[in-house]
C-alpha cells in the first residue's frame, strides 16, 4: 500500500530574466542528430520563454551543403518533432530570423574563416558585442581540430577580456581513458581558460537529478542519518530497455563502462554522497563532488575480479517484442567482447561513508527502463513486531528511493499498524510524485544547461579535475579487464534484469537488487 503526496497545482513556471549579455551561438555539427533532437528544440523553447538574450544569432556549421533557408526548414521539422511545446507561427517566425548556416570542414582554415566572417557580419548588423558561445555537437575526433581553428581565428577571448567572453560547450565523451582526457584538456586549455569550458552531461540538467541536492540539503531531518551509522548500503540503477540502435560503431569502442558509468553514474554517486557545499555555485559544488571521486577506494585487479560484473545481451523478448542479440546489431563484430551491462561494488573511504557498500548497475536491453537511487537503512536492533506482521510481509529495513526516470519522484518505505484490532503491522510507501503538468512545463535538460552556459553558471557542468578523477576510477577497471579473461558472452537475455553473476555479486553480502 502507499500514501500519495503530490506537488500542488502551480501557475505556469516563470523563468527569471536572463542575466547574460547578448551573444552569438555557433553550433558545430548543426546537421547532426544531437542538434536536431536536443539543441534546436531547446533554443526554440528558450526563445519562447524570453530566456534567450535579445538579438541572439544562432549559426549552424557543418559539412552538409545547406543555405540559411534549408537550415531553417530542417530546424522547423526538428522543433515540430521534438519540442516540449508545439510550434506557433508567430514564435517560429521570430526564431527563424535568428537562424543562419555556414557549410564547411571542421579542420580547415578557409571554412572557419567563412564562419568568422559570418559571425562578425551578424554582430555588426545587430549591434551585438563579441560574446561567443561555441557548442561542439560533433564526434570527439573533431574536438581538437575545431578548438585549434577557433584559437587561430582570435575570437576566443581570455576569460573576461575587455568585458567580453568566449565559452565552449563540449559534449561527452571527454576522452576514452585518463591519458586521452588529459590530452584533450591540454588542447582545450591552449585556447580557452577552464572558467570558459562547459563539459556537458545532460543528466545534470534533469529536474529530478537537481532535486537530489535540494532534498539532501534543504531538509534537516535526513542529514543526521545520512551516514555510515544508519545507512546499510546504496544502490544506483540505470537500466535501459532499448538496445544500441544505430550506434554500433560507437558502442564497440565505448561499452557500458565508458558510456554510462564514467559519467552519468559517477555523477549520481557524487551528488548522493558529497558534503554540503559552502554555497550553491560552480566552484563549491564541484569541489565537493571531486572530493567524493578522489575518496573512492582504488581497485586492484583482484578487486575488479571480485567486485565487477560484465554482461552482454543475447536474443530475447523486450516489452513483448523479439530483440536480437548485441552481436547481431549493425556495425557490431559477431565475436564482440564489448560489455552492454556493468555491475560493480564500490566503497568511499571518507569519514561519512566508511565501509558502506555502493552497488551500481547499468545495462542495455534490460527488463524495463528505470533510473533510481535507493538508500537502504540499517535494520532496527530488535524486531519487536515480528509475530504481528500481516501474512506475506516481512520487517524489511526502511528504504528511501529517488526515482530519476520514469515515474519521477521520491518514496520512503516504513512500517505502520493496520487500522483496527488486533495488532497487525505492514509496510507502507509514502510517495512524492511530480504532477505530469509540472514535468511537461519544466525546461528540458538542454534548456537548463544552455541557459546556464550563457549566464556563465558552471554549477551543473563537469570541471577538468572532476572528469580526470572519474577516468582514474574507470581506468583501473578497464586495465584489469584487459588482464582478466573475458566472460562467455552473451550472458543475459534481452528483456531480463541482467546476468546471474550480478545477482551473486550483491547476494554474497546478504542483499538483493531492487526489482525492475
Amino acid at each position: 500500500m502507499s500514501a500519495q503526496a503530490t506537488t500542488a497545482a502551480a501557475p505556469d513556471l516563470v523563468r527569471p530574466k536572463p542575466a547574460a549579455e547578448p551573444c552569438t551561438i555557433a553550433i558545430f555539427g548543426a546537421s547532426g542528430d544531437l542538434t536536431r533532437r536536443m539543441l534546436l528544440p531547446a533554443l526554440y523553447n528558450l526563445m519562447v520563454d524570453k530566456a534567450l538574450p535579445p538579438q541572439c544569432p544562432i549559426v549552424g556549421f557543418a559539412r552538409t551543403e545547406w543555405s540559411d533557408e534549408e537550415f531553417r526548414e530542417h530546424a522547423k521539422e526538428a522543433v515540430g518533432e521534438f519540442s516540449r511545446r508545439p510550434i506557433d507561427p508567430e514564435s517560429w517566425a521570430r526564431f527563424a530570423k535568428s537562424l543562419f548556416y555556414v557549410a564547411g570542414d571542421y579542420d580547415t582554415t578557409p571554412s572557419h574563416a567563412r564562419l568568422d566572417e559570418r559571425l562578425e557580419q551578424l554582430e555588426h548588423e545587430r549591434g551585438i558585442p563579441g560574446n561567443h558561445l561555441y557548442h561542439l555537437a560533433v564526434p570527439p575526433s573533431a574536438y581538437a581540430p575545431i578548438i585549434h581553428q577557433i584559437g587561430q581565428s582570435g575570437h576566443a577571448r581570455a576569460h573576461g577580456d575587455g568585458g567580453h567572453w568566449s565559452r565552449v560547450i563540449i559534449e561527452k565523451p571527454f576522452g576514452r581513458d585518463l591519458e586521452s582526457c588529459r590530452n584533450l584538456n591540454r588542447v582545450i586549455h591552449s585556447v580557452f581558460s577552464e572558467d570558459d569550458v562547459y563539459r556537458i552531461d545532460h543528466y545534470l540538467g534533469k529536474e529530478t537529478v537537481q532535486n537530489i541536492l535540494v532534498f539532501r540539503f534543504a531538509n534537516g531531518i535526513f542529514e543526521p542519518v545520512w551516514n555510515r551509522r544508519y545507512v546499510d548500503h546504496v544502490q544506483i540503477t540505470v537500466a535501459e530497455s532499448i538496445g544500441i540502435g544505430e550506434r554500433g560503431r560507437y558502442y564497440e569502442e565505448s561499452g557500458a563502462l565508458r558510456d554510462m558509468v564514467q559519467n552519468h553514474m559517477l555523477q549520481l554517486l557524487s551528488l548522493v554522497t558529497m558534503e554540503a557545499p559552502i554555497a550553491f555555485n560552480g566552484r563549491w559544488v564541484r569541489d565537493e563532488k571531486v572530493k567524493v571521486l578522489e575518496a573512492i577506494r582504488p581497485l586492484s585487479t583482484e578487486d575488479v575480479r571480485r567486485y565487477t560484473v560484465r554482461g552482454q545481451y543475447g536474443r530475447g523478448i523486450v516489452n513483448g517484442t523479439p530483440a536480437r542479440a548485441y552481436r547481431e546489431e549493425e556495425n557490431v563484430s559477431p565475436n564482440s567482447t564489448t560489455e552492454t551491462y556493468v555491475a560493480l561494488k564500490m566503497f568511499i573511504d571518507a569519514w561519512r561513508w566508511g565501509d558502506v557498500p555502493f552497488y551500481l548497475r547499468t545495462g542495455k536491453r534490460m527488463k524495463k527502463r528505470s533510473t533510481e537511487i535507493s538508500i537502504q537503512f540499517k535494520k532496527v536492533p530488535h524486531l519487536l513486531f515480528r509475530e504481528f506482521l500481516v501474512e506475506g510481509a516481512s520487517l524489511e529495513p526502511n528504504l528511501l528511493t529517488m526515482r530519476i526516470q520514469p515515474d519521477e519522484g521520491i518514496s520512503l518505505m516504513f512500517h505502520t499498524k493496520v487500522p483496527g484490532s488486533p495488532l497487525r503491522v505492514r509496510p507502507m510507501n509514502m510517495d512524492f510524485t511530480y504532477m505530469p503538468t509540472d514535468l511537461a512545463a519544466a525546461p528540458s535538460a538542454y534548456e537548463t544547461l544552455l541557459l546556464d552556459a550563457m549566464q556563465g553558471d558552471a554549477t551543473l557542468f563537469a570541471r577538468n579535475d572532476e572528469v580526470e578523477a572519474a577516468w582514474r576510477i574507470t581506468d583501473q577497471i578497464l586495465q584489469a579487464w584487459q588482464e582478466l579473461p573475458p566472460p562467455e558472452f552473451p550472458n543475459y537475455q534481452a528483456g531480463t534484469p541482467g546476468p546471474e553473476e550480478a545477482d551473486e555479486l550483491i547476494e554474497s553480502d546478504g542483499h538483493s537488487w531492487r526489482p525492475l
Side-chain angles (χ1 to χ4, degrees):
M1 298 187 66
S2 66
Q4 294 290 327
T6 59
T7 56
D12 290 342
L13 297 177
V14 178
R15 286 184 180 275
K17 291 183 179 179
E21 299 175 46
C23 65
T24 302
I25 300 173
I27 301 175
F28 293 90
S31 62
D33 192 59
L34 176 63
T35 301
R36 183 174 69 93
R37 296 173 63 91
M38 299 294 179
L39 304 188
L40 289 169
L43 290 166
Y44 172 77
N45 283 301
L46 287 171
M47 186 275 298
V48 172
D49 288 337
K50 297 182 173 58
L52 273 186
Q55 297 291 315
C56 175
I58 300 165
V59 182
F61 183 90
R63 295 188 179 96
T64 306
E65 291 289 343
W66 280 339
S67 65
D68 289 347
E69 285 305 318
E70 287 172 320
F71 180 50
R72 289 165 185 163
E73 284 302 313
H74 170 80
K76 189 173 185 179
E77 292 176 6
V79 173
E81 186 175 358
F82 297 108
S83 170
R84 64 181 170 87
R85 54 159 65 93
I87 290 180
D88 76 82
E90 183 181 345
S91 296
W92 174 255
R94 284 191 289 122
F95 186 64
K97 289 179 182 178
S98 296
L99 296 176
F100 304 91
Y101 188 82
V102 175
D105 295 318
Y106 298 135
D107 58 352
T108 63
T109 300
S111 296
H112 282 262
R114 289 196 301 274
L115 174 63
D116 296 338
E117 184 179 345
R118 195 69 184 278
L119 296 180
E120 291 175 2
Q121 173 197 346
L122 291 168
E123 290 165 356
H124 177 74
E125 291 174 355
R126 300 188 174 207
I128 297 173
N131 296 329
H132 302 130
L133 180 65
Y134 300 102
H135 195 126
L136 273 54
V138 294
S141 59
Y143 292 166
I146 290 173
I147 289 170
H148 174 73
Q149 290 292 338
I150 292 173
Q152 292 291 102
S153 73
H155 281 292
R157 296 174 176 84
H159 184 64
D161 181 22
H164 302 317
W165 49 261
S166 294
R167 299 174 186 143
V168 62
I169 298 176
I170 301 176
E171 294 282 341
K172 78 173 189 73
F174 318 112
R176 66 183 317 274
D177 52 26
L178 179 58
E179 181 181 3
S180 61
C181 174
R182 285 173 170 165
N183 290 337
L184 177 59
N185 279 334
R186 279 192 285 269
V187 171
I188 295 170
H189 292 152
S190 71
V191 177
F192 293 93
S193 72
E194 178 61 26
D195 289 332
D196 293 321
V197 180
Y198 291 73
R199 298 173 189 82
I200 197 167
D201 184 335
H202 73 274
Y203 256 55
L204 295 181
K206 291 179 179 290
E207 291 286 330
T208 44
V209 171
Q210 295 173 60
N211 201 31
I212 295 171
L213 292 178
V214 176
F215 179 83
R216 284 198 57 197
F217 300 125
N219 299 292
I221 62 172
F222 293 104
E223 175 60 24
V225 297
W226 208 267
N227 57 60
R228 60 187 173 83
R229 293 184 61 193
Y230 298 96
V231 174
D232 182 80
H233 72 277
V234 177
Q235 294 183 31
I236 301 178
T237 295
V238 181
E240 298 178 288
S241 59
I242 60 172
I244 60 168
E246 299 177 356
R247 299 197 306 157
R249 196 168 278 112
Y250 161 77
Y251 211 83
E252 278 287 85
E253 293 292 322
S254 170
L257 186 72
R258 289 186 174 98
D259 188 50
M260 294 297 295
V261 176
Q262 185 274 335
N263 40 75
H264 301 327
M265 299 198 76
L266 290 181
Q267 289 284 353
L268 294 178
L269 176 65
S270 62
L271 291 174
V272 169
T273 58
M274 62 184 271
E275 298 295 329
I278 293 174
F280 190 73
N281 62 36
R283 175 188 173 187
W284 299 113
V285 169
R286 296 190 294 181
D287 279 354
E288 296 303 331
K289 288 166 64 183
V290 171
K291 290 177 185 176
V292 170
L293 297 175
E294 295 285 1
I296 291 177
R297 185 179 299 173
L299 295 170
S300 65
T301 301
E302 175 60 20
D303 291 332
V304 170
R305 187 191 65 79
R306 293 173 56 200
Y307 297 148
T308 72
V309 173
R310 286 178 277 177
Q312 187 189 92
Y313 63 82
R315 294 178 182 178
I317 305 293
V318 181
N319 297 325
T321 303
R324 57 186 175 182
Y326 174 75
R327 290 176 174 179
E328 298 170 331
E329 301 280 14
E330 189 176 346
N331 296 316
V332 170
S333 167
N335 301 309
S336 174
T337 58
T338 299
E339 79 284 356
T340 63
Y341 177 100
V342 178
L344 56 150
K345 174 181 172 182
M346 310 180 88
F347 294 94
I348 298 173
D349 287 335
W351 189 266
R352 179 184 291 267
W353 297 112
D355 293 329
V356 174
F358 292 82
Y359 302 97
L360 283 63
R361 62 172 169 167
T362 183
K364 297 282 190 185
R365 285 292 187 211
M366 295 180 71
K367 188 174 182 180
K368 71 174 187 178
R369 173 175 175 252
S370 176
T371 300
E372 68 173 33
I373 301 164
S374 298
I375 294 95
Q376 181 169 304
F377 294 93
K378 293 184 177 180
K379 293 180 179 180
V380 294
H382 175 53
L383 300 181
L384 184 63
F385 299 105
R386 188 195 304 272
E387 65 270 29
F388 299 109
L389 289 168
V390 297
E391 186 176 351
S394 59
L395 208 60
E396 295 294 327
N398 300 115
L399 182 72
L400 177 69
T401 302
M402 292 179 273
R403 300 185 301 274
I404 309 300
Q405 61 184 15
D407 305 322
E408 293 87 346
I410 301 171
S411 67
L412 177 64
M413 190 281 287
F414 57 96
H415 296 88
T416 184
K417 178 183 177 295
V418 177
S421 184
L423 178 63
R424 287 289 181 268
V425 177
R426 67 183 175 190
M428 290 276 291
N429 281 328
M430 183 165 62
D431 279 325
F432 157 78
T433 56
Y434 286 89
M435 293 182 70
T437 51
D438 283 350
L439 289 177
S444 69
Y446 269 92
E447 288 173 55
T448 298
L449 295 170
L450 286 171
L451 183 58
D452 282 357
M454 283 184 275
Q455 294 174 327
D457 183 354
T459 304
L460 301 178
F461 294 84
R463 203 169 59 193
N464 63 329
D465 55 346
E466 182 181 347
V467 177
E468 291 185 12
W471 272 121
R472 272 192 290 274
I473 298 161
T474 310
D475 269 10
Q476 293 168 7
I477 300 172
L478 290 170
Q479 290 165 9
W481 281 354
Q482 289 179 351
E483 299 173 17
L484 296 168
E488 216 173 289
F489 287 156
N491 59 355
Y492 72 99
Q493 290 183 332
T496 64
E500 293 181 0
E501 293 87 346
D503 295 333
E504 295 168 2
L505 170 70
I506 192 169
E507 288 170 0
S508 65
D509 294 335
H511 309 309
S512 59
W513 292 111
R514 292 268 297 150
L516 288 173

PDB file of all heavy atoms in Angstrom, residues 24 35 56-57 92 121 171 196 213 241 261 272 285 289 297 300 339 346 356 369 430 434 508:
ATOM      1  N   THR A  24      26.404  35.504 -29.538  1.00  0.00           N
ATOM      2  CA  THR A  24      26.222  34.741 -30.761  1.00  0.00           C
ATOM      3  C   THR A  24      26.526  33.279 -30.454  1.00  0.00           C
ATOM      4  O   THR A  24      27.548  32.965 -29.841  1.00  0.00           O
ATOM      5  CB  THR A  24      27.173  35.240 -31.859  1.00  0.00           C
ATOM      6  OG1 THR A  24      26.940  36.624 -32.085  1.00  0.00           O
ATOM      7  CG2 THR A  24      26.942  34.476 -33.153  1.00  0.00           C
ATOM      8  N   THR A  35      21.866  17.975 -32.545  1.00  0.00           N
ATOM      9  CA  THR A  35      21.320  19.310 -32.792  1.00  0.00           C
ATOM     10  C   THR A  35      19.839  19.217 -33.115  1.00  0.00           C
ATOM     11  O   THR A  35      19.023  20.021 -32.618  1.00  0.00           O
ATOM     12  CB  THR A  35      22.063  19.980 -33.964  1.00  0.00           C
ATOM     13  OG1 THR A  35      23.455  20.056 -33.628  1.00  0.00           O
ATOM     14  CG2 THR A  35      21.538  21.380 -34.220  1.00  0.00           C
ATOM     15  N   CYS A  56      19.769  37.390 -30.618  1.00  0.00           N
ATOM     16  CA  CYS A  56      20.787  36.344 -30.448  1.00  0.00           C
ATOM     17  C   CYS A  56      20.878  35.494 -31.717  1.00  0.00           C
ATOM     18  O   CYS A  56      20.022  34.632 -31.945  1.00  0.00           O
ATOM     19  CB  CYS A  56      20.422  35.464 -29.255  1.00  0.00           C
ATOM     20  SG  CYS A  56      21.497  34.042 -29.000  1.00  0.00           S
ATOM     21  N   PRO A  57      21.879  35.697 -32.580  1.00  0.00           N
ATOM     22  CA  PRO A  57      22.001  34.863 -33.775  1.00  0.00           C
ATOM     23  C   PRO A  57      22.479  33.454 -33.409  1.00  0.00           C
ATOM     24  O   PRO A  57      23.339  33.281 -32.550  1.00  0.00           O
ATOM     25  CB  PRO A  57      23.055  35.583 -34.618  1.00  0.00           C
ATOM     26  CG  PRO A  57      23.340  36.873 -33.928  1.00  0.00           C
ATOM     27  CD  PRO A  57      22.942  36.702 -32.512  1.00  0.00           C
ATOM     28  N   TRP A  92       7.598  30.908 -34.214  1.00  0.00           N
ATOM     29  CA  TRP A  92       8.537  30.341 -35.157  1.00  0.00           C
ATOM     30  C   TRP A  92       9.132  31.419 -36.068  1.00  0.00           C
ATOM     31  O   TRP A  92      10.324  31.390 -36.375  1.00  0.00           O
ATOM     32  CB  TRP A  92       7.897  29.251 -36.004  1.00  0.00           C
ATOM     33  CG  TRP A  92       8.860  28.803 -37.055  1.00  0.00           C
ATOM     34  CD1 TRP A  92       8.857  29.085 -38.373  1.00  0.00           C
ATOM     35  CD2 TRP A  92      10.070  28.072 -36.805  1.00  0.00           C
ATOM     36  NE1 TRP A  92       9.964  28.564 -38.993  1.00  0.00           N
ATOM     37  CE2 TRP A  92      10.730  27.938 -38.050  1.00  0.00           C
ATOM     38  CE3 TRP A  92      10.642  27.510 -35.668  1.00  0.00           C
ATOM     39  CZ2 TRP A  92      11.939  27.265 -38.168  1.00  0.00           C
ATOM     40  CZ3 TRP A  92      11.854  26.849 -35.795  1.00  0.00           C
ATOM     41  CH2 TRP A  92      12.489  26.729 -37.028  1.00  0.00           C
ATOM     42  N   GLN A 121      29.704  39.694 -39.322  1.00  0.00           N
ATOM     43  CA  GLN A 121      28.664  40.397 -40.069  1.00  0.00           C
ATOM     44  C   GLN A 121      27.381  40.494 -39.243  1.00  0.00           C
ATOM     45  O   GLN A 121      26.765  41.567 -39.132  1.00  0.00           O
ATOM     46  CB  GLN A 121      28.376  39.664 -41.381  1.00  0.00           C
ATOM     47  CG  GLN A 121      27.196  40.223 -42.171  1.00  0.00           C
ATOM     48  CD  GLN A 121      26.693  39.230 -43.217  1.00  0.00           C
ATOM     49  OE1 GLN A 121      27.353  38.247 -43.528  1.00  0.00           O
ATOM     50  NE2 GLN A 121      25.512  39.495 -43.741  1.00  0.00           N
ATOM     51  N   GLU A 171      30.501  18.179 -25.576  1.00  0.00           N
ATOM     52  CA  GLU A 171      29.684  17.009 -25.263  1.00  0.00           C
ATOM     53  C   GLU A 171      30.574  15.842 -24.820  1.00  0.00           C
ATOM     54  O   GLU A 171      31.752  15.763 -25.176  1.00  0.00           O
ATOM     55  CB  GLU A 171      28.888  16.587 -26.497  1.00  0.00           C
ATOM     56  CG  GLU A 171      27.833  17.600 -26.939  1.00  0.00           C
ATOM     57  CD  GLU A 171      26.580  17.545 -26.093  1.00  0.00           C
ATOM     58  OE1 GLU A 171      26.356  16.519 -25.416  1.00  0.00           O
ATOM     59  OE2 GLU A 171      25.807  18.527 -26.111  1.00  0.00           O
ATOM     60  N   ASP A 196      35.954  29.033 -18.836  1.00  0.00           N
ATOM     61  CA  ASP A 196      35.132  29.208 -20.030  1.00  0.00           C
ATOM     62  C   ASP A 196      34.821  27.883 -20.721  1.00  0.00           C
ATOM     63  O   ASP A 196      34.316  27.872 -21.845  1.00  0.00           O
ATOM     64  CB  ASP A 196      35.835  30.141 -21.023  1.00  0.00           C
ATOM     65  CG  ASP A 196      35.930  31.569 -20.497  1.00  0.00           C
ATOM     66  OD1 ASP A 196      34.958  32.029 -19.877  1.00  0.00           O
ATOM     67  OD2 ASP A 196      36.983  32.206 -20.693  1.00  0.00           O
ATOM     68  N   LEU A 213      20.084  17.309  -4.655  1.00  0.00           N
ATOM     69  CA  LEU A 213      20.747  18.276  -3.775  1.00  0.00           C
ATOM     70  C   LEU A 213      19.739  19.021  -2.909  1.00  0.00           C
ATOM     71  O   LEU A 213      19.981  19.268  -1.722  1.00  0.00           O
ATOM     72  CB  LEU A 213      21.563  19.260  -4.607  1.00  0.00           C
ATOM     73  CG  LEU A 213      22.787  18.694  -5.324  1.00  0.00           C
ATOM     74  CD1 LEU A 213      23.473  19.773  -6.151  1.00  0.00           C
ATOM     75  CD2 LEU A 213      23.776  18.099  -4.328  1.00  0.00           C
ATOM     76  N   SER A 241      15.717  -0.323 -21.565  1.00  0.00           N
ATOM     77  CA  SER A 241      15.101  -1.428 -22.305  1.00  0.00           C
ATOM     78  C   SER A 241      15.517  -1.407 -23.770  1.00  0.00           C
ATOM     79  O   SER A 241      15.418  -2.423 -24.460  1.00  0.00           O
ATOM     80  CB  SER A 241      13.575  -1.358 -22.195  1.00  0.00           C
ATOM     81  OG  SER A 241      13.084  -0.122 -22.704  1.00  0.00           O
ATOM     82  N   VAL A 261      28.929   4.555 -16.869  1.00  0.00           N
ATOM     83  CA  VAL A 261      29.465   4.591 -15.503  1.00  0.00           C
ATOM     84  C   VAL A 261      30.387   5.779 -15.313  1.00  0.00           C
ATOM     85  O   VAL A 261      30.273   6.521 -14.331  1.00  0.00           O
ATOM     86  CB  VAL A 261      30.190   3.275 -15.171  1.00  0.00           C
ATOM     87  CG1 VAL A 261      30.826   3.361 -13.774  1.00  0.00           C
ATOM     88  CG2 VAL A 261      29.220   2.103 -15.234  1.00  0.00           C
ATOM     89  N   VAL A 272      24.824  12.111  -4.370  1.00  0.00           N
ATOM     90  CA  VAL A 272      24.209  11.457  -3.214  1.00  0.00           C
ATOM     91  C   VAL A 272      25.129  11.489  -2.000  1.00  0.00           C
ATOM     92  O   VAL A 272      24.667  11.556  -0.858  1.00  0.00           O
ATOM     93  CB  VAL A 272      23.848   9.992  -3.568  1.00  0.00           C
ATOM     94  CG1 VAL A 272      23.466   9.195  -2.327  1.00  0.00           C
ATOM     95  CG2 VAL A 272      22.700   9.975  -4.559  1.00  0.00           C
ATOM     96  N   VAL A 285      30.180  23.527  -5.314  1.00  0.00           N
ATOM     97  CA  VAL A 285      29.516  22.255  -5.591  1.00  0.00           C
ATOM     98  C   VAL A 285      30.495  21.285  -6.231  1.00  0.00           C
ATOM     99  O   VAL A 285      30.608  20.118  -5.841  1.00  0.00           O
ATOM    100  CB  VAL A 285      28.282  22.466  -6.494  1.00  0.00           C
ATOM    101  CG1 VAL A 285      27.743  21.124  -6.994  1.00  0.00           C
ATOM    102  CG2 VAL A 285      27.187  23.220  -5.739  1.00  0.00           C
ATOM    103  N   LYS A 289      32.112  17.475  -5.130  1.00  0.00           N
ATOM    104  CA  LYS A 289      31.977  16.289  -5.979  1.00  0.00           C
ATOM    105  C   LYS A 289      33.347  15.660  -6.251  1.00  0.00           C
ATOM    106  O   LYS A 289      33.486  14.426  -6.241  1.00  0.00           O
ATOM    107  CB  LYS A 289      31.283  16.658  -7.289  1.00  0.00           C
ATOM    108  CG  LYS A 289      29.797  16.956  -7.118  1.00  0.00           C
ATOM    109  CD  LYS A 289      29.226  17.646  -8.331  1.00  0.00           C
ATOM    110  CE  LYS A 289      29.274  16.782  -9.549  1.00  0.00           C
ATOM    111  NZ  LYS A 289      28.764  17.499 -10.742  1.00  0.00           N
ATOM    112  N   ARG A 297      37.569   4.110  -3.157  1.00  0.00           N
ATOM    113  CA  ARG A 297      38.654   3.167  -2.876  1.00  0.00           C
ATOM    114  C   ARG A 297      39.249   2.621  -4.168  1.00  0.00           C
ATOM    115  O   ARG A 297      38.501   2.128  -5.037  1.00  0.00           O
ATOM    116  CB  ARG A 297      38.141   2.029  -1.996  1.00  0.00           C
ATOM    117  CG  ARG A 297      39.211   1.054  -1.529  1.00  0.00           C
ATOM    118  CD  ARG A 297      38.617  -0.017  -0.641  1.00  0.00           C
ATOM    119  NE  ARG A 297      38.013   0.574   0.565  1.00  0.00           N
ATOM    120  CZ  ARG A 297      37.296  -0.130   1.451  1.00  0.00           C
ATOM    121  NH1 ARG A 297      37.092  -1.436   1.262  1.00  0.00           N
ATOM    122  NH2 ARG A 297      36.781   0.480   2.516  1.00  0.00           N
ATOM    123  N   SER A 300      42.253  -2.950  -7.177  1.00  0.00           N
ATOM    124  CA  SER A 300      43.314  -3.788  -7.740  1.00  0.00           C
ATOM    125  C   SER A 300      42.683  -4.740  -8.760  1.00  0.00           C
ATOM    126  O   SER A 300      41.456  -4.829  -8.884  1.00  0.00           O
ATOM    127  CB  SER A 300      43.997  -4.591  -6.638  1.00  0.00           C
ATOM    128  OG  SER A 300      43.073  -5.519  -6.076  1.00  0.00           O
ATOM    129  N   GLU A 339      31.059  -4.935 -23.469  1.00  0.00           N
ATOM    130  CA  GLU A 339      30.023  -5.106 -22.448  1.00  0.00           C
ATOM    131  C   GLU A 339      28.856  -4.153 -22.705  1.00  0.00           C
ATOM    132  O   GLU A 339      29.048  -2.986 -23.008  1.00  0.00           O
ATOM    133  CB  GLU A 339      30.599  -4.882 -21.046  1.00  0.00           C
ATOM    134  CG  GLU A 339      30.805  -3.435 -20.602  1.00  0.00           C
ATOM    135  CD  GLU A 339      32.007  -2.751 -21.212  1.00  0.00           C
ATOM    136  OE1 GLU A 339      32.762  -3.412 -21.954  1.00  0.00           O
ATOM    137  OE2 GLU A 339      32.181  -1.538 -20.957  1.00  0.00           O
ATOM    138  N   MET A 346      31.438  -0.585  -4.874  1.00  0.00           N
ATOM    139  CA  MET A 346      32.456   0.422  -4.592  1.00  0.00           C
ATOM    140  C   MET A 346      32.361   0.847  -3.132  1.00  0.00           C
ATOM    141  O   MET A 346      31.314   0.709  -2.498  1.00  0.00           O
ATOM    142  CB  MET A 346      32.279   1.650  -5.498  1.00  0.00           C
ATOM    143  CG  MET A 346      32.149   1.326  -6.970  1.00  0.00           C
ATOM    144  SD  MET A 346      31.941   2.788  -8.000  1.00  0.00           S
ATOM    145  CE  MET A 346      33.647   3.193  -8.290  1.00  0.00           C
ATOM    146  N   VAL A 356      30.530   1.502   3.915  1.00  0.00           N
ATOM    147  CA  VAL A 356      29.186   1.363   3.339  1.00  0.00           C
ATOM    148  C   VAL A 356      29.352   0.946   1.880  1.00  0.00           C
ATOM    149  O   VAL A 356      29.997   1.651   1.104  1.00  0.00           O
ATOM    150  CB  VAL A 356      28.392   2.681   3.416  1.00  0.00           C
ATOM    151  CG1 VAL A 356      27.058   2.549   2.679  1.00  0.00           C
ATOM    152  CG2 VAL A 356      28.156   3.086   4.868  1.00  0.00           C
ATOM    153  N   ARG A 369      12.906   0.260 -18.522  1.00  0.00           N
ATOM    154  CA  ARG A 369      13.678   1.486 -18.351  1.00  0.00           C
ATOM    155  C   ARG A 369      13.477   1.998 -16.925  1.00  0.00           C
ATOM    156  O   ARG A 369      12.358   2.194 -16.470  1.00  0.00           O
ATOM    157  CB  ARG A 369      13.198   2.531 -19.358  1.00  0.00           C
ATOM    158  CG  ARG A 369      13.792   3.910 -19.206  1.00  0.00           C
ATOM    159  CD  ARG A 369      13.302   4.783 -20.350  1.00  0.00           C
ATOM    160  NE  ARG A 369      13.728   6.168 -20.226  1.00  0.00           N
ATOM    161  CZ  ARG A 369      12.921   7.171 -19.905  1.00  0.00           C
ATOM    162  NH1 ARG A 369      11.636   6.945 -19.668  1.00  0.00           N
ATOM    163  NH2 ARG A 369      13.376   8.394 -19.826  1.00  0.00           N
ATOM    164  N   MET A 430       5.396   6.031   1.424  1.00  0.00           N
ATOM    165  CA  MET A 430       4.955   7.416   1.328  1.00  0.00           C
ATOM    166  C   MET A 430       5.637   8.003   0.097  1.00  0.00           C
ATOM    167  O   MET A 430       6.859   8.079   0.029  1.00  0.00           O
ATOM    168  CB  MET A 430       5.334   8.215   2.578  1.00  0.00           C
ATOM    169  CG  MET A 430       4.825   9.649   2.537  1.00  0.00           C
ATOM    170  SD  MET A 430       4.877  10.442   4.162  1.00  0.00           S
ATOM    171  CE  MET A 430       6.619  10.391   4.509  1.00  0.00           C
ATOM    172  N   TYR A 434       5.968  13.843  -9.008  1.00  0.00           N
ATOM    173  CA  TYR A 434       5.747  15.066  -9.771  1.00  0.00           C
ATOM    174  C   TYR A 434       4.422  14.965 -10.507  1.00  0.00           C
ATOM    175  O   TYR A 434       4.087  13.919 -11.062  1.00  0.00           O
ATOM    176  CB  TYR A 434       6.861  15.271 -10.802  1.00  0.00           C
ATOM    177  CG  TYR A 434       8.171  15.719 -10.225  1.00  0.00           C
ATOM    178  CD1 TYR A 434       9.114  14.788  -9.793  1.00  0.00           C
ATOM    179  CD2 TYR A 434       8.490  17.064 -10.132  1.00  0.00           C
ATOM    180  CE1 TYR A 434      10.334  15.194  -9.279  1.00  0.00           C
ATOM    181  CE2 TYR A 434       9.708  17.482  -9.620  1.00  0.00           C
ATOM    182  CZ  TYR A 434      10.627  16.542  -9.197  1.00  0.00           C
ATOM    183  OH  TYR A 434      11.826  16.941  -8.688  1.00  0.00           O
ATOM    184  N   SER A 508      25.946 -12.065  -2.236  1.00  0.00           N
ATOM    185  CA  SER A 508      27.027 -12.552  -1.367  1.00  0.00           C
ATOM    186  C   SER A 508      27.175 -11.691  -0.120  1.00  0.00           C
ATOM    187  O   SER A 508      27.762 -12.116   0.876  1.00  0.00           O
ATOM    188  CB  SER A 508      28.350 -12.586  -2.135  1.00  0.00           C
ATOM    189  OG  SER A 508      28.743 -11.271  -2.505  1.00  0.00           O
TER     190      SER A 508
END
